[in-house]
Amino acid sequence: MSQVVTRFAPSPTGYLHIGGARTALFSWAYARKMGGKMLLRIEDTDRERSTEAAVEAIKDGLSWLGLHWDGDAISQFGRASRHAEIAHELIARGHAYKCYCSPAELDQMREEARAAGKPPRYNGYWRDRDQSEAPAGVAPVIRIKSPLSGDIVVHDHVQGEVVFKAENLDDFIILRSDGTPTYMHAVVVDDHDMGVTHIIRGDDHLTNAARQIVVYNAMGWDIPEMAHIPLIHGPDGAKLSKRHGALGVEAYRQMGYLPEALRNYLARLGWSHDDDEIFSSEQMIEWFSLDGLNKGAARFDFVKLESINGHYIREAKPDYLYGVMIALAEEVGRLADLEGLTADKATVLAALPELQPRAKTILELIDLAQFIYASRPLPIDSAASALLTPDARSVLGDVRDLLIGLNDWSVEAIDAAMRTLAEAKGLKLGKLAQPLRAALTGRTVSPGIFEVMVLIGRDESLARLGDQIDTK
RNA sequence: GCGCCCAUCGUCUAUCGGUUAGGACGGCACCCUUUCACGGUGCAGAGCGGGGUUCGAUUCCCCGUGGGCGUACCA
Protein backbone atom coordinates (compact mmCIF):
# COMPACT_ATOMS: atom_id res chain seq x y z
CA MET A 1 0.00 0.00 0.00
CA SER A 2 3.04 2.19 -0.28
CA GLN A 3 2.84 2.33 -4.05
CA VAL A 4 2.56 5.76 -5.55
CA VAL A 5 -0.54 6.39 -7.65
CA THR A 6 -0.90 9.61 -9.63
CA ARG A 7 -3.58 10.53 -12.06
CA PHE A 8 -4.19 12.84 -14.95
CA ALA A 9 -7.79 14.03 -15.04
CA PRO A 10 -8.65 16.16 -18.06
CA SER A 11 -12.15 17.20 -19.02
CA PRO A 12 -12.85 16.18 -22.62
CA THR A 13 -14.07 19.51 -23.89
CA GLY A 14 -11.32 19.89 -26.48
CA TYR A 15 -7.91 18.65 -27.49
CA LEU A 16 -5.09 17.99 -25.05
CA HIS A 17 -3.76 21.48 -24.60
CA ILE A 18 -0.19 22.32 -23.81
CA GLY A 19 -0.76 23.02 -20.13
CA GLY A 20 -2.55 19.74 -19.65
CA ALA A 21 0.24 17.96 -21.46
CA ARG A 22 2.75 19.34 -19.01
CA THR A 23 0.63 18.38 -16.02
CA ALA A 24 0.39 14.88 -17.43
CA LEU A 25 4.14 14.84 -18.02
CA PHE A 26 4.87 15.61 -14.39
CA SER A 27 2.32 13.11 -13.10
CA TRP A 28 3.77 10.51 -15.39
CA ALA A 29 7.38 11.26 -14.50
CA TYR A 30 6.66 11.12 -10.79
CA ALA A 31 4.79 7.84 -11.04
CA ARG A 32 7.56 6.28 -13.11
CA LYS A 33 10.22 7.64 -10.82
CA MET A 34 8.54 6.13 -7.79
CA GLY A 35 7.78 2.85 -9.50
CA GLY A 36 4.09 3.60 -9.23
CA LYS A 37 1.21 4.12 -11.62
CA MET A 38 -0.35 6.99 -13.46
CA LEU A 39 -4.07 6.63 -13.98
CA LEU A 40 -6.18 8.45 -16.54
CA ARG A 41 -9.59 9.70 -15.57
CA ILE A 42 -11.83 11.52 -18.01
CA GLU A 43 -13.83 14.18 -16.20
CA ASP A 44 -16.87 14.06 -18.37
CA THR A 45 -19.60 14.98 -15.93
CA ASP A 46 -20.40 18.06 -17.97
CA ARG A 47 -22.48 16.30 -20.59
CA GLU A 48 -23.05 19.42 -22.62
CA ARG A 49 -19.43 20.06 -23.36
CA SER A 50 -17.87 16.61 -23.27
CA THR A 51 -17.31 14.76 -26.52
CA GLU A 52 -15.97 11.38 -27.49
CA ALA A 53 -13.77 13.03 -30.12
CA ALA A 54 -12.08 15.02 -27.37
CA VAL A 55 -11.47 11.86 -25.36
CA GLU A 56 -9.71 10.37 -28.37
CA ALA A 57 -7.74 13.55 -29.00
CA ILE A 58 -6.50 13.52 -25.42
CA LYS A 59 -5.48 9.89 -25.60
CA ASP A 60 -3.76 10.43 -28.93
CA GLY A 61 -1.91 13.42 -27.57
CA LEU A 62 -0.67 11.54 -24.53
CA SER A 63 0.39 8.59 -26.65
CA TRP A 64 2.23 10.78 -29.12
CA LEU A 65 4.17 12.34 -26.27
CA GLY A 66 4.95 8.90 -24.92
CA LEU A 67 3.01 9.42 -21.71
CA HIS A 68 1.39 6.07 -21.16
CA TRP A 69 -1.18 5.64 -18.46
CA ASP A 70 -1.80 2.47 -16.51
CA GLY A 71 -4.98 0.50 -16.92
CA ASP A 72 -8.10 1.68 -18.72
CA ALA A 73 -9.18 5.29 -18.72
CA ILE A 74 -11.96 5.83 -16.22
CA SER A 75 -15.08 7.80 -17.07
CA GLN A 76 -16.13 10.02 -14.24
CA PHE A 77 -19.66 10.18 -15.59
CA GLY A 78 -19.84 6.42 -15.37
CA ARG A 79 -19.40 6.63 -11.63
CA ALA A 80 -22.31 9.01 -10.99
CA SER A 81 -24.25 6.57 -8.85
CA ARG A 82 -21.25 6.12 -6.57
CA HIS A 83 -20.96 9.89 -6.19
CA ALA A 84 -24.64 10.14 -5.30
CA GLU A 85 -24.25 7.29 -2.84
CA ILE A 86 -21.51 9.11 -0.99
CA ALA A 87 -23.48 12.36 -1.02
CA HIS A 88 -26.38 10.63 0.69
CA GLU A 89 -24.04 8.92 3.10
CA LEU A 90 -22.76 12.37 4.01
CA ILE A 91 -26.32 13.43 4.82
CA ALA A 92 -26.79 10.33 6.95
CA ARG A 93 -23.61 11.18 8.82
CA GLY A 94 -24.86 14.69 9.41
CA HIS A 95 -22.17 16.26 7.22
CA ALA A 96 -24.41 17.37 4.40
CA TYR A 97 -27.96 18.57 3.85
CA LYS A 98 -30.54 19.37 1.24
CA CYS A 99 -30.94 22.93 0.11
CA TYR A 100 -34.03 24.25 -1.68
CA CYS A 101 -32.89 27.76 -2.51
CA SER A 102 -33.73 29.18 -5.92
CA PRO A 103 -31.12 30.76 -8.21
CA ALA A 104 -32.62 34.15 -7.43
CA GLU A 105 -32.20 33.64 -3.69
CA LEU A 106 -28.61 32.54 -4.26
CA ASP A 107 -27.87 35.64 -6.29
CA GLN A 108 -29.24 37.77 -3.52
CA MET A 109 -27.05 36.06 -0.92
CA ARG A 110 -23.96 36.64 -3.01
CA GLU A 111 -24.86 40.25 -3.46
CA GLU A 112 -25.39 40.77 0.23
CA ALA A 113 -22.08 39.14 1.07
CA ARG A 114 -20.27 41.23 -1.48
CA ALA A 115 -21.87 44.38 -0.13
CA ALA A 116 -20.61 43.43 3.31
CA GLY A 117 -17.09 43.12 1.94
CA LYS A 118 -17.09 39.36 2.23
CA PRO A 119 -16.54 36.68 -0.36
CA PRO A 120 -19.75 35.91 -2.22
CA ARG A 121 -21.06 32.77 -0.66
CA TYR A 122 -24.04 30.73 0.34
CA ASN A 123 -25.26 31.78 3.77
CA GLY A 124 -26.18 28.35 5.08
CA TYR A 125 -29.89 29.02 4.98
CA TRP A 126 -30.89 25.32 4.96
CA ARG A 127 -27.97 24.08 7.00
CA ASP A 128 -29.94 23.64 10.20
CA ARG A 129 -33.46 24.19 8.93
CA ASP A 130 -35.98 21.43 9.26
CA GLN A 131 -36.77 19.60 6.05
CA SER A 132 -40.49 20.03 6.81
CA GLU A 133 -40.13 23.63 5.71
CA ALA A 134 -39.12 22.52 2.23
CA PRO A 135 -41.13 24.20 -0.52
CA ALA A 136 -43.24 21.83 -2.58
CA GLY A 137 -42.13 20.84 -6.03
CA VAL A 138 -38.54 21.98 -5.67
CA ALA A 139 -35.82 19.43 -6.32
CA PRO A 140 -33.08 20.12 -3.76
CA VAL A 141 -29.34 20.12 -4.18
CA ILE A 142 -27.11 18.56 -1.55
CA ARG A 143 -24.63 20.83 0.14
CA ILE A 144 -21.78 19.81 2.38
CA LYS A 145 -21.40 21.32 5.83
CA SER A 146 -18.20 23.25 5.69
CA PRO A 147 -16.59 24.02 9.05
CA LEU A 148 -17.75 27.34 10.51
CA SER A 149 -14.49 28.30 12.11
CA GLY A 150 -10.84 27.38 12.21
CA ASP A 151 -8.34 26.92 9.41
CA ILE A 152 -8.20 24.51 6.56
CA VAL A 153 -4.63 23.98 5.55
CA VAL A 154 -3.44 22.52 2.32
CA HIS A 155 -0.05 20.84 2.68
CA ASP A 156 1.34 21.32 -0.77
CA HIS A 157 4.64 20.03 -2.13
CA VAL A 158 5.05 23.07 -4.31
CA GLN A 159 3.23 25.87 -2.53
CA GLY A 160 3.99 24.87 1.02
CA GLU A 161 1.38 25.24 3.76
CA VAL A 162 -1.51 27.23 2.40
CA VAL A 163 -4.02 28.32 5.01
CA PHE A 164 -7.64 29.10 4.27
CA LYS A 165 -9.97 30.47 6.89
CA ALA A 166 -13.07 28.34 7.23
CA GLU A 167 -15.33 31.37 7.16
CA ASN A 168 -14.27 32.09 3.62
CA LEU A 169 -15.56 28.75 2.44
CA ASP A 170 -19.27 28.15 2.07
CA ASP A 171 -21.42 25.06 2.02
CA PHE A 172 -20.81 24.22 -1.59
CA ILE A 173 -22.98 21.90 -3.64
CA ILE A 174 -21.86 18.32 -3.98
CA LEU A 175 -24.91 16.90 -5.73
CA ARG A 176 -27.01 18.86 -8.20
CA SER A 177 -30.76 18.92 -8.16
CA ASP A 178 -30.78 16.44 -11.02
CA GLY A 179 -28.80 14.02 -8.89
CA THR A 180 -25.49 14.39 -10.72
CA PRO A 181 -22.33 15.22 -8.81
CA THR A 182 -20.39 18.44 -9.03
CA TYR A 183 -16.73 18.40 -9.91
CA MET A 184 -15.67 19.23 -6.36
CA HIS A 185 -17.35 16.11 -5.02
CA ALA A 186 -16.69 13.69 -7.85
CA VAL A 187 -12.95 14.40 -7.79
CA VAL A 188 -12.66 13.48 -4.15
CA VAL A 189 -14.72 10.32 -4.38
CA ASP A 190 -12.84 9.20 -7.49
CA ASP A 191 -9.38 9.98 -6.20
CA HIS A 192 -10.19 8.09 -3.05
CA ASP A 193 -11.71 5.10 -4.80
CA MET A 194 -8.87 4.95 -7.31
CA GLY A 195 -6.32 4.92 -4.54
CA VAL A 196 -4.62 8.09 -5.71
CA THR A 197 -1.74 8.94 -3.40
CA HIS A 198 -0.39 12.03 -5.16
CA ILE A 199 -2.43 14.70 -6.87
CA ILE A 200 -0.36 16.75 -9.29
CA ARG A 201 -2.38 19.41 -11.06
CA GLY A 202 -2.42 23.06 -12.07
CA ASP A 203 -2.44 25.66 -9.31
CA ASP A 204 -5.75 26.95 -10.58
CA HIS A 205 -7.03 24.16 -8.34
CA LEU A 206 -5.30 25.35 -5.21
CA THR A 207 -8.37 26.94 -3.67
CA ASN A 208 -10.42 23.95 -4.74
CA ALA A 209 -8.05 21.81 -2.74
CA ALA A 210 -9.31 23.43 0.45
CA ARG A 211 -12.91 22.63 -0.45
CA GLN A 212 -12.02 19.10 -1.35
CA ILE A 213 -10.32 18.64 1.97
CA VAL A 214 -13.67 19.41 3.56
CA VAL A 215 -15.11 16.39 1.77
CA TYR A 216 -12.17 14.16 2.69
CA ASN A 217 -12.56 15.14 6.32
CA ALA A 218 -16.31 14.63 6.31
CA MET A 219 -15.82 11.10 5.04
CA GLY A 220 -12.87 10.49 7.28
CA TRP A 221 -10.67 9.65 4.28
CA ASP A 222 -6.93 10.16 4.05
CA ILE A 223 -5.97 13.27 2.12
CA PRO A 224 -3.58 12.53 -0.76
CA GLU A 225 -0.29 14.34 -1.13
CA MET A 226 -0.72 17.38 -3.31
CA ALA A 227 1.46 19.35 -5.69
CA HIS A 228 -0.10 22.34 -7.41
CA ILE A 229 2.10 23.37 -10.27
CA PRO A 230 2.06 26.89 -11.69
CA LEU A 231 0.30 27.52 -14.95
CA ILE A 232 1.92 28.35 -18.26
CA HIS A 233 1.51 31.94 -19.39
CA GLY A 234 1.84 33.62 -22.74
CA PRO A 235 4.92 35.67 -23.73
CA ASP A 236 3.28 38.77 -22.22
CA GLY A 237 2.78 37.11 -18.86
CA ALA A 238 -0.96 36.99 -19.26
CA LYS A 239 -3.15 34.05 -19.97
CA LEU A 240 -1.91 31.73 -22.65
CA SER A 241 -3.89 32.34 -25.80
CA LYS A 242 -4.03 30.32 -28.97
CA ARG A 243 -1.73 32.74 -30.66
CA HIS A 244 0.70 32.18 -27.83
CA GLY A 245 0.72 28.45 -28.02
CA ALA A 246 -2.39 27.34 -26.16
CA LEU A 247 -2.94 24.72 -28.78
CA GLY A 248 -3.58 21.04 -28.78
CA VAL A 249 -0.49 18.88 -28.89
CA GLU A 250 -1.50 17.68 -32.35
CA ALA A 251 -1.07 21.27 -33.53
CA TYR A 252 2.55 21.06 -32.43
CA ARG A 253 2.96 17.85 -34.32
CA GLN A 254 1.52 19.56 -37.38
CA MET A 255 3.92 22.46 -36.97
CA GLY A 256 6.74 19.95 -37.24
CA TYR A 257 7.83 19.48 -33.66
CA LEU A 258 9.15 16.15 -32.51
CA PRO A 259 7.46 14.62 -29.46
CA GLU A 260 10.77 14.19 -27.66
CA ALA A 261 11.54 17.88 -28.21
CA LEU A 262 8.17 19.06 -26.95
CA ARG A 263 8.45 16.76 -23.97
CA ASN A 264 11.92 18.08 -23.16
CA TYR A 265 10.82 21.69 -23.55
CA LEU A 266 7.74 21.24 -21.40
CA ALA A 267 9.75 19.54 -18.70
CA ARG A 268 11.96 22.61 -18.37
CA LEU A 269 8.98 24.88 -17.99
CA GLY A 270 8.55 24.93 -14.25
CA TRP A 271 10.90 22.15 -13.42
CA SER A 272 14.66 21.91 -13.41
CA HIS A 273 17.52 19.67 -12.48
CA ASP A 274 20.51 21.96 -11.98
CA ASP A 275 21.65 23.32 -15.32
CA ASP A 276 20.52 20.41 -17.44
CA GLU A 277 18.68 21.48 -20.56
CA ILE A 278 18.63 18.47 -22.82
CA PHE A 279 17.68 15.10 -21.42
CA SER A 280 15.89 11.93 -22.40
CA SER A 281 12.70 10.62 -20.84
CA GLU A 282 14.79 8.10 -18.95
CA GLN A 283 16.95 10.83 -17.46
CA MET A 284 13.94 12.90 -16.56
CA ILE A 285 12.42 9.97 -14.70
CA GLU A 286 15.68 9.38 -12.91
CA TRP A 287 16.01 13.03 -11.93
CA PHE A 288 12.41 13.96 -11.31
CA SER A 289 11.29 15.11 -7.91
CA LEU A 290 8.53 17.31 -6.61
CA ASP A 291 11.20 19.49 -4.99
CA GLY A 292 12.46 20.53 -8.39
CA LEU A 293 9.15 22.14 -9.28
CA ASN A 294 9.02 25.90 -9.45
CA LYS A 295 6.49 28.14 -7.78
CA GLY A 296 6.30 30.90 -10.35
CA ALA A 297 4.43 30.69 -13.62
CA ALA A 298 6.54 30.23 -16.75
CA ARG A 299 6.02 31.90 -20.08
CA PHE A 300 5.75 29.90 -23.22
CA ASP A 301 8.55 30.58 -25.70
CA PHE A 302 8.30 29.21 -29.21
CA VAL A 303 11.85 30.27 -30.00
CA LYS A 304 13.34 28.04 -27.37
CA LEU A 305 11.06 25.20 -28.36
CA GLU A 306 12.40 25.55 -31.89
CA SER A 307 15.93 25.49 -30.66
CA ILE A 308 15.36 22.27 -28.77
CA ASN A 309 13.50 20.81 -31.71
CA GLY A 310 16.47 21.64 -33.92
CA HIS A 311 18.71 19.81 -31.51
CA TYR A 312 16.60 16.67 -31.66
CA ILE A 313 16.41 16.84 -35.44
CA ARG A 314 20.20 17.03 -35.64
CA GLU A 315 20.59 14.07 -33.31
CA ALA A 316 17.99 11.90 -34.97
CA LYS A 317 18.59 8.95 -37.25
CA PRO A 318 17.72 9.65 -40.91
CA ASP A 319 15.35 6.74 -41.25
CA TYR A 320 13.40 7.87 -38.19
CA LEU A 321 13.18 11.38 -39.56
CA TYR A 322 12.16 10.08 -42.95
CA GLY A 323 9.24 8.29 -41.37
CA VAL A 324 8.17 11.42 -39.52
CA MET A 325 8.42 13.48 -42.71
CA ILE A 326 6.23 11.06 -44.61
CA ALA A 327 3.64 10.91 -41.85
CA LEU A 328 3.56 14.67 -41.49
CA ALA A 329 3.35 15.36 -45.21
CA GLU A 330 0.35 13.07 -45.26
CA GLU A 331 -1.24 14.52 -42.12
CA VAL A 332 -1.05 18.11 -43.31
CA GLY A 333 -1.96 17.28 -46.88
CA ARG A 334 1.29 18.09 -48.63
CA LEU A 335 0.66 15.52 -51.30
CA ALA A 336 3.28 16.66 -53.80
CA ASP A 337 5.91 16.37 -51.11
CA LEU A 338 4.56 13.02 -50.01
CA GLU A 339 4.89 11.76 -53.57
CA GLY A 340 8.37 13.16 -54.07
CA LEU A 341 9.66 11.91 -50.73
CA THR A 342 8.30 8.48 -51.47
CA ALA A 343 9.64 8.30 -55.01
CA ASP A 344 13.13 9.48 -54.10
CA LYS A 345 13.43 7.77 -50.74
CA ALA A 346 17.03 6.64 -51.20
CA THR A 347 18.20 10.11 -52.18
CA VAL A 348 16.28 11.77 -49.35
CA LEU A 349 17.82 9.36 -46.89
CA ALA A 350 21.29 10.10 -48.26
CA ALA A 351 20.65 13.85 -48.15
CA LEU A 352 19.27 13.96 -44.63
CA PRO A 353 22.61 14.35 -42.83
CA GLU A 354 23.12 17.50 -44.92
CA LEU A 355 19.59 18.72 -44.25
CA GLN A 356 19.34 18.05 -40.53
CA PRO A 357 21.58 20.84 -39.21
CA ARG A 358 19.60 23.31 -41.30
CA ALA A 359 16.11 22.58 -40.03
CA LYS A 360 14.32 23.61 -36.87
CA THR A 361 11.13 21.76 -37.68
CA ILE A 362 10.08 18.78 -39.74
CA LEU A 363 8.19 21.12 -42.04
CA GLU A 364 11.45 22.93 -42.74
CA LEU A 365 13.12 19.60 -43.31
CA ILE A 366 10.57 18.81 -45.98
CA ASP A 367 11.12 22.21 -47.58
CA LEU A 368 14.84 21.59 -47.62
CA ALA A 369 14.37 18.25 -49.32
CA GLN A 370 12.32 19.67 -52.18
CA PHE A 371 15.29 20.28 -54.45
CA ILE A 372 15.71 16.52 -54.68
CA TYR A 373 12.38 15.73 -56.29
CA ALA A 374 11.53 19.07 -57.87
CA SER A 375 10.57 18.58 -61.50
CA ARG A 376 12.21 20.45 -64.35
CA PRO A 377 12.29 23.17 -65.23
CA LEU A 378 12.69 24.16 -61.60
CA PRO A 379 10.68 27.03 -60.19
CA ILE A 380 13.20 29.74 -59.34
CA ASP A 381 12.38 31.96 -56.39
CA SER A 382 12.89 35.69 -56.63
CA ALA A 383 16.13 35.86 -54.66
CA ALA A 384 17.59 33.10 -56.80
CA SER A 385 16.52 34.62 -60.09
CA ALA A 386 18.17 37.89 -59.04
CA LEU A 387 21.40 35.92 -59.00
CA LEU A 388 20.95 34.61 -62.51
CA THR A 389 22.13 37.68 -64.35
CA PRO A 390 23.31 37.47 -67.98
CA ASP A 391 26.89 37.46 -66.69
CA ALA A 392 26.14 34.69 -64.27
CA ARG A 393 24.48 32.64 -66.97
CA SER A 394 27.51 32.92 -69.15
CA VAL A 395 29.70 31.80 -66.29
CA LEU A 396 27.36 28.87 -65.83
CA GLY A 397 28.04 27.98 -69.44
CA ASP A 398 31.72 27.61 -68.62
CA VAL A 399 30.79 25.60 -65.57
CA ARG A 400 28.73 23.26 -67.67
CA ASP A 401 31.56 22.73 -70.15
CA LEU A 402 33.84 21.93 -67.27
CA LEU A 403 31.41 19.49 -65.67
CA ILE A 404 30.68 17.67 -68.90
CA GLY A 405 34.35 16.85 -69.15
CA LEU A 406 34.60 15.69 -65.59
CA ASN A 407 35.05 11.95 -65.17
CA ASP A 408 34.85 11.64 -61.43
CA TRP A 409 31.46 12.86 -60.15
CA SER A 410 32.36 13.20 -56.52
CA VAL A 411 32.30 16.11 -54.12
CA GLU A 412 36.08 16.18 -54.02
CA ALA A 413 36.52 16.14 -57.80
CA ILE A 414 33.84 18.75 -58.44
CA ASP A 415 35.24 20.93 -55.67
CA ALA A 416 38.75 20.78 -57.13
CA ALA A 417 37.58 21.45 -60.67
CA MET A 418 35.44 24.40 -59.62
CA ARG A 419 38.21 25.97 -57.64
CA THR A 420 40.55 25.66 -60.56
CA LEU A 421 38.01 27.28 -62.83
CA ALA A 422 37.36 30.11 -60.40
CA GLU A 423 41.03 30.80 -60.11
CA ALA A 424 41.51 30.75 -63.86
CA LYS A 425 38.77 33.29 -64.32
CA GLY A 426 39.89 35.41 -61.40
CA LEU A 427 36.63 34.92 -59.56
CA LYS A 428 35.88 34.03 -55.99
CA LEU A 429 34.38 30.61 -55.63
CA GLY A 430 31.14 32.13 -54.44
CA LYS A 431 30.67 33.80 -57.82
CA LEU A 432 30.39 30.37 -59.35
CA ALA A 433 28.72 28.58 -56.53
CA GLN A 434 25.82 30.93 -55.93
CA PRO A 435 24.50 31.05 -59.53
CA LEU A 436 25.01 27.31 -59.64
CA ARG A 437 22.96 26.92 -56.49
CA ALA A 438 20.22 29.08 -57.97
CA ALA A 439 20.15 26.98 -61.11
CA LEU A 440 20.25 23.60 -59.40
CA THR A 441 17.90 24.24 -56.48
CA GLY A 442 15.93 27.34 -57.47
CA ARG A 443 16.94 28.92 -54.17
CA THR A 444 19.77 30.83 -52.61
CA VAL A 445 19.96 28.55 -49.63
CA SER A 446 20.78 24.87 -49.75
CA PRO A 447 23.27 22.34 -48.52
CA GLY A 448 26.76 22.53 -49.99
CA ILE A 449 26.15 22.81 -53.72
CA PHE A 450 28.69 20.10 -54.61
CA GLU A 451 26.93 17.75 -52.24
CA VAL A 452 23.68 18.67 -53.97
CA MET A 453 25.18 17.78 -57.34
CA VAL A 454 26.31 14.40 -56.13
CA LEU A 455 22.96 13.77 -54.50
CA ILE A 456 20.85 14.48 -57.58
CA GLY A 457 23.41 12.97 -59.92
CA ARG A 458 25.26 14.04 -63.01
CA ASP A 459 22.45 13.85 -65.53
CA GLU A 460 19.95 15.78 -63.45
CA SER A 461 22.58 18.36 -62.53
CA LEU A 462 23.53 19.03 -66.12
CA ALA A 463 19.93 19.10 -67.20
CA ARG A 464 18.96 21.68 -64.57
CA LEU A 465 22.01 23.70 -65.49
CA GLY A 466 21.02 23.53 -69.12
CA ASP A 467 17.54 24.80 -68.30
CA GLN A 468 19.05 28.04 -67.07
CA ILE A 469 21.68 28.48 -69.73
CA ASP A 470 19.73 27.64 -72.87
CA THR A 471 16.53 29.48 -72.10
CA LYS A 472 17.42 33.01 -73.12
C1' G B 1 -14.94 43.51 -3.77
C1' C B 2 -13.08 39.16 -1.03
C1' G B 3 -9.64 34.90 -0.62
C1' C B 4 -5.20 32.52 -2.19
C1' C B 5 -0.57 32.11 -5.02
C1' C B 6 3.72 34.11 -7.39
C1' A B 7 8.16 37.71 -8.33
C1' U B 8 16.70 36.42 -10.39
C1' C B 9 19.30 38.71 -17.34
C1' G B 10 14.13 39.91 -22.90
C1' U B 11 12.63 34.35 -21.92
C1' C B 12 13.43 29.37 -19.23
C1' U B 13 16.23 28.71 -14.96
C1' A B 14 20.73 27.61 -11.00
C1' U B 15 21.53 29.55 -6.07
C1' C B 16 18.67 26.24 -0.53
C1' G B 17 22.60 33.51 4.50
C1' G B 18 28.76 34.66 2.65
C1' U B 19 29.38 33.37 -5.27
C1' U B 20 33.35 38.12 -9.78
C1' A B 21 24.99 35.84 -9.01
C1' G B 22 26.15 30.31 -12.99
C1' G B 23 23.84 27.86 -17.44
C1' A B 24 20.45 27.64 -21.70
C1' C B 25 17.44 30.22 -25.63
C1' G B 26 17.52 34.83 -28.00
C1' G B 27 20.79 39.33 -29.26
C1' C B 28 25.64 41.39 -30.83
C1' A B 29 30.85 40.63 -32.63
C1' C B 30 34.47 37.49 -34.56
C1' C B 31 36.21 32.59 -36.53
C1' C B 32 34.98 28.53 -39.92
C1' U B 33 32.89 29.04 -45.01
C1' U B 34 30.49 28.27 -52.07
C1' U B 35 24.93 30.21 -49.56
C1' C B 36 22.28 28.99 -45.20
C1' A B 37 22.72 26.31 -41.10
C1' C B 38 25.80 23.55 -37.72
C1' G B 39 30.18 24.21 -34.79
C1' G B 40 33.80 27.41 -32.05
C1' U B 41 35.30 32.01 -29.34
C1' G B 42 34.01 36.48 -27.03
C1' C B 43 30.61 40.55 -25.38
C1' A B 44 26.18 42.83 -23.42
C1' G B 45 22.26 41.44 -20.11
C1' A B 46 19.05 40.14 -13.70
C1' G B 47 18.04 39.89 -7.80
C1' C B 48 10.44 44.85 -8.58
C1' G B 49 10.35 49.12 -4.55
C1' G B 50 10.60 50.20 0.78
C1' G B 51 11.35 48.63 5.62
C1' G B 52 13.18 45.14 9.06
C1' U B 53 16.13 40.36 11.18
C1' U B 54 21.48 39.33 10.86
C1' C B 55 28.40 40.45 11.35
C1' G B 56 26.35 39.55 6.40
C1' A B 57 20.81 39.12 2.56
C1' U B 58 18.79 37.27 -4.12
C1' U B 59 17.96 33.86 -0.06
C1' C B 60 14.17 34.82 6.25
C1' C B 61 9.88 38.42 7.95
C1' C B 62 6.49 42.73 6.99
C1' C B 63 4.37 46.52 3.75
C1' G B 64 3.79 48.26 -1.13
C1' U B 65 3.72 47.40 -6.47
C1' G B 66 2.96 44.20 -10.48
C1' G B 67 1.06 39.60 -12.44
C1' G B 68 -1.87 35.12 -11.91
C1' C B 69 -5.74 31.89 -9.99
C1' G B 70 -10.31 31.30 -7.51
C1' U B 71 -14.86 33.26 -6.03
C1' A B 72 -20.98 28.61 -10.66
C1' C B 73 -26.39 23.37 -9.78
C1' C B 74 -18.15 24.42 -15.38
C1' A B 75 -14.23 21.43 -14.73
Side-chain angles (χ1 to χ4, degrees), chain A residues 36-82:
Chain A
K37 293 179 178 175
M38 177 181 80
L39 274 20
L40 176 63
R41 182 175 69 231
I42 305 297
E43 311 229 312
D44 50 0
T45 53
D46 183 343
R47 303 314 288 170
E48 295 293 304
R49 301 195 298 152
S50 298
T51 68
E52 193 52 41
V55 173
E56 288 312 308
I58 289 166
K59 289 180 177 177
D60 286 350
L62 290 174
S63 298
W64 180 65
L65 280 172
L67 306 180
H68 305 294
W69 59 94
D70 294 289
D72 293 330
I74 290 171
S75 159
Q76 187 161 63
F77 177 70
R79 293 177 38 81
S81 62
R82 169 67 175 162

Side-chain angles (χ1 to χ4, degrees), chain A residues 382-433:
Chain A
S382 62
S385 71
L387 240 36
L388 294 170
T389 59
D391 278 357
R393 286 178 200 274
S394 103
V395 169
L396 286 181
D398 297 333
V399 170
R400 177 169 59 172
D401 293 342
L402 172 77
L403 294 175
I404 288 173
L406 201 60
N407 289 320
D408 179 8
W409 197 259
S410 68
V411 171
E412 296 72 25
I414 297 171
D415 187 304
M418 291 289 287
R419 282 177 199 281
T420 303
L421 177 63
E423 204 170 328
K425 296 184 76 73
L427 295 171
K428 294 180 78 171
L429 187 55
K431 286 291 179 190
L432 301 188

Side-chain angles (χ1 to χ4, degrees), chain A residues 175-312:
Chain A
L175 207 68
R176 301 185 186 105
S177 52
D178 66 359
T180 61
T182 59
Y183 161 78
M184 214 62 78
H185 178 63
V187 169
V188 174
V189 175
D190 290 345
D191 281 337
H192 174 265
D193 287 358
M194 289 162 71
V196 172
T197 60
H198 294 257
I199 295 174
I200 299 171
R201 80 229 298 192
D203 71 7
D204 50 335
H205 287 288
L206 189 55
T207 46
N208 290 336
R211 291 179 225 282
Q212 288 162 204
I213 283 173
V214 171
V215 181
Y216 279 106
N217 288 156
M219 286 303 294
W221 288 340
D222 286 339
I223 299 167
E225 301 287 317
M226 294 181 175
H228 287 90
I229 61 176
L231 269 15
I232 299 175
H233 289 174
D236 55 358
K239 192 175 163 64
L240 193 61
S241 71
K242 290 210 174 170
R243 186 175 164 277
H244 292 157
L247 306 163
V249 294
E250 82 289 340
Y252 289 86
R253 180 175 65 220
Q254 288 166 9
M255 285 186 277
Y257 294 105
L258 257 14
E260 53 272 35
L262 187 57
R263 193 219 76 239
N264 194 149
Y265 174 70
L266 250 21
R268 287 288 292 107
L269 228 45
W271 177 78
S272 60
H273 178 265
D274 291 329
D275 283 335
D276 295 301
E277 296 283 349
I278 300 289
F279 41 80
S280 65
S281 289
E282 290 67 35
Q283 282 174 308
M284 182 186 182
I285 290 169
E286 187 185 329
W287 293 336
F288 193 79
S289 86
L290 265 18
D291 300 331
L293 289 168
N294 261 112
K295 305 179 84 172
R299 303 183 188 201
F300 193 86
D301 182 10
F302 268 110
V303 177
K304 185 149 186 178
L305 206 210
E306 283 212 339
S307 163
I308 291 178
N309 204 52
H311 169 87
Y312 280 95

